[in-house]
Amino acid sequence: MSVTQPAAERVRVTAEPDWYEGAGISLGVRVGNLVFTSGQAPIDAQGATVGVGDFEAQARQALANLATVLTNAGSGLDEVVKATVFVTDIARQDVFAKLRAEHFPSKPHLAESFVEVSSLADPEWMIEIEAIGLVR
């Protein structure tokens, strides 16, 4: 027996202003009851880097951007099931652990990869966060 299901529609997630529009990518894409975000950087709504040289300030901005994208998709930080955190200095893991506890307190805990990279799209960026969240 074979079951054929229609393909789920892909819906672009935006914000006003959409800080990634100029880059030609979506802030996120919703497919069915899942939302997949692009990596959220430490930038303000105009695309300017926030907290140059300050990892915690940059992480807080990236998390705020992530929350906005998820909310605009009908989800939220409390619905994140998987996150990938890219950092330019793995030694910052303790700072991010504190922020993770603040922003993702629900159990079961989310699945996460914490990855050091040599650089991000902008040399001033110290962190970028992408996630997969549920839409209920």
Side-chain angles (χ1 to χ4, degrees), residues 20-126:
Y20 282 177
E21 177 65 30
I25 61 175
S26 296
L27 291 171
V29 176
R30 181 175 164 178
V31 181
N33 71 334
L34 295 175
V35 58
F36 301 85
T37 73
S38 290
Q40 296 304 307
I43 57 174
D44 64 19
Q46 290 69 45
T49 300
V50 171
V52 175
D54 182 342
F55 179 81
E56 185 169 343
Q58 287 198 5
R60 287 187 182 283
Q61 183 65 46
L63 286 162
N65 291 347
L66 181 63
T68 296
V69 175
L70 290 165
T71 298
N72 290 358
S75 186
L77 289 177
D78 59 330
E79 297 294 344
V80 170
V81 295
K82 171 70 170 100
T84 305
V85 182
F86 302 97
V87 296
T88 57
D89 182 358
I90 200 79
R92 304 294 186 165
Q93 191 167 11
D94 59 334
V95 175
F96 192 77
K98 177 183 80 165
L99 297 175
R100 181 189 318 106
E102 288 177 24
H103 291 82
F104 302 102
S106 301
K107 291 186 179 178
H109 297 299
L110 60 90
E112 178 187 284
S113 299
F114 195 84
V115 183
E116 182 179 48
V117 295
S118 60
S119 65
L120 293 163
D122 184 307
E124 293 182 328
W125 297 354
M126 303 168 78

